[in-house]
Amino acid sequence: MKTFNDPEAFARVKRLPPYVFTVTDRLRDEAIARGVDVVDFSMGNPDGATPDRIVERLRSAVGDPKLHRYLNPRGLPELRASVSRWWKRRHGVEVDPEREVLVTIGSKEGIGHALIAMLSEGDTVLAPAPTYPIHAFGAVLAGAESLPVAVGPGVDFFESLVAAAERAEKRPKGLVVNFPANPTAAVGTQELFEKIVRFAEARDMFIVSDLAYCDIVFDGPKAPSMLAVPGARDRTLEFMSLSKSYNMPGWRVGFCAGNPALVAAAARVKSYLDYGLFGAVQAAAMTALDECDDEVVKIREKYRVRRDALVRHFGAAGWQVPAPAASMFAWAPIPEPFRQLGSLEFCKRLIDEAGVAVAPGIGFGPAGEGSVRIALIVDEPRVQLAAERIEKFLKKGPGGR
Ligand SMILES: Cc1ncc(COP(=O)(O)O)c(C=O)c1O
């Protein structure tokens, strides 16, 4: 009799390593269970409440029986119209809500299914490294492979892209980009986006662009949209999420827009898998996109204040954390005497000995080693508490407990 006692007996699962964060999450939870008051910077999980207007719209929409049914799997036409207005207002880009927009169950689901739609066994796709896991592992879900493109502080992303394409044994089918970036907080410029589109045109590649943090920019110009580049629409699918801009991570609302054939390909795969979002959530998403620009400003400001507090207090404690220009993360090199421990061991020690949780860089792929990601989800008083503990931890050095 065949027994099932190892999920990795399945070839696809074997290629999906367990999230490294499960290790640090366990250590954090054990420390909390021991009574340690852990200051937790480890998750990219917006902590604020969803704005009242959006919650109220959900409350009123939930009573409408029309919204209780299976609905259009591409998303309600009214929500697609809101998405189209968002792109016009935010990026000056016209998208046709009928053919060029798809509503997704959060952008993670959308990116994953779009890559499944566009890639097959034997294909490759260029993806940033280090990066948010679905950018690289969407290819694995599709039976394909991703090829790393270095991104991060001091790295010229375009040069990395060219080098990665030259290293590739055969032409990659597409490329994934994410600016502002998780976890490195790297930002993209209009000029970079133009070069990426020309690069993809020359090699006949598709582009998946992830704008999840495009509203969370503190310094410099606003984050550009790939779709604003002339010619991009021939080959681009661009994703946006309501999770960060409107504090709605648990609602699972995202959307994408771009080339009609790429939209249709992703929609075809999704049509076999889901019926889209609960209609009342879609109604609330319309309120977010159409009426809550002021809330986005407040949310961005909250992250900015936290960023400034983090850089100031950690710096005073002896850990010079580069100030991120965008995103809800700081990407910090491990302090020198601890670097040889590696990011996972450093994070374990920081939880155990200082009661401070951050995410190990290795969790975002081998290219993330040497750094940790610090999420801007903690207000100043507890940032200060964390910094006081870190100061003592750093003074003891890697040998001391
Ligand atoms: C870069 C990036 N893209 C996409 C997502 C997924 O967001 P969503 O909640 O829309 O699935 C995240 C979430 O952390 C992210 O960091």
Side-chain angles (χ1 to χ4, degrees), residues 292-356:
C292 293
D293 286 0
D294 57 333
E295 300 288 351
V296 177
V297 173
K298 285 190 237 162
I299 288 167
R300 173 170 52 236
E301 182 59 12
K302 189 171 76 172
Y303 288 125
R304 194 190 58 72
V305 168
R306 288 173 172 180
R307 174 199 68 164
D308 293 347
L310 179 85
V311 169
R312 194 170 60 250
H313 289 296
F314 279 36
W319 189 359
Q320 304 309 324
V321 173
S327 85
M328 51 182 286
F329 309 107
W331 181 243
I334 299 171
E336 188 45 74
F338 293 84
R339 203 160 296 170
Q340 92 281 359
L341 296 177
S343 63
L344 190 55
E345 184 60 23
F346 174 74
C347 289
K348 285 183 190 168
R349 297 270 298 267
L350 199 62
I351 296 173
D352 259 0
E353 296 171 36
V356 174

Side-chain angles (χ1 to χ4, degrees), residues 44 105-109 111 132 134-135 178 180-182 210 212-213 240-244 249 252-254 329:
I105 309 171
S107 57
K108 176 156 85 165
E109 177 275 323
I111 294 167
Y132 181 63
I134 195 65
H135 299 150
N178 167 222
N182 178 9
D210 179 355
Y213 298 99
M240 176 56 185
S241 167
L242 275 70
S243 300
K244 323 291 169 169
R252 312 308 305 128
V253 198
F329 309 107

Side-chain angles (χ1 to χ4, degrees), residues 68-151:
H68 299 174
R69 312 192 61 193
Y70 291 132
L71 300 169
N72 186 325
R74 281 194 176 217
L76 287 172
E78 298 88 338
L79 176 53
R80 282 182 278 132
S82 299
V83 166
S84 173
R85 284 192 288 277
W86 179 86
W87 236 294
K88 177 79 182 143
R89 195 172 68 250
R90 183 72 180 65
H91 296 290
V93 172
E94 305 264 2
V95 291
D96 173 5
E98 202 45 50
R99 297 165 55 249
E100 295 180 323
V101 172
L102 175 66
V103 175
T104 62
I105 309 171
S107 57
K108 176 156 85 165
E109 177 275 323
I111 294 167
H113 284 137
L115 290 171
I116 287 173
M118 295 189 275
L119 296 170
S120 304
E121 226 144 292
D123 288 340
T124 58
V125 67
L126 298 163
T131 200
Y132 181 63
I134 195 65
H135 299 150
F137 285 95
V140 172
L141 291 173
E145 218 175 305
S146 71
L147 305 174
V149 181
V151 69

Side-chain angles (χ1 to χ4, degrees), residues 74 99-102 117 237 258-271:
R74 281 194 176 217
R99 297 165 55 249
E100 295 180 323
V101 172
L102 175 66
L237 199 52
N259 178 271
L262 300 184
V263 168
R268 178 89 59 92
V269 167
K270 279 174 61 57
S271 71

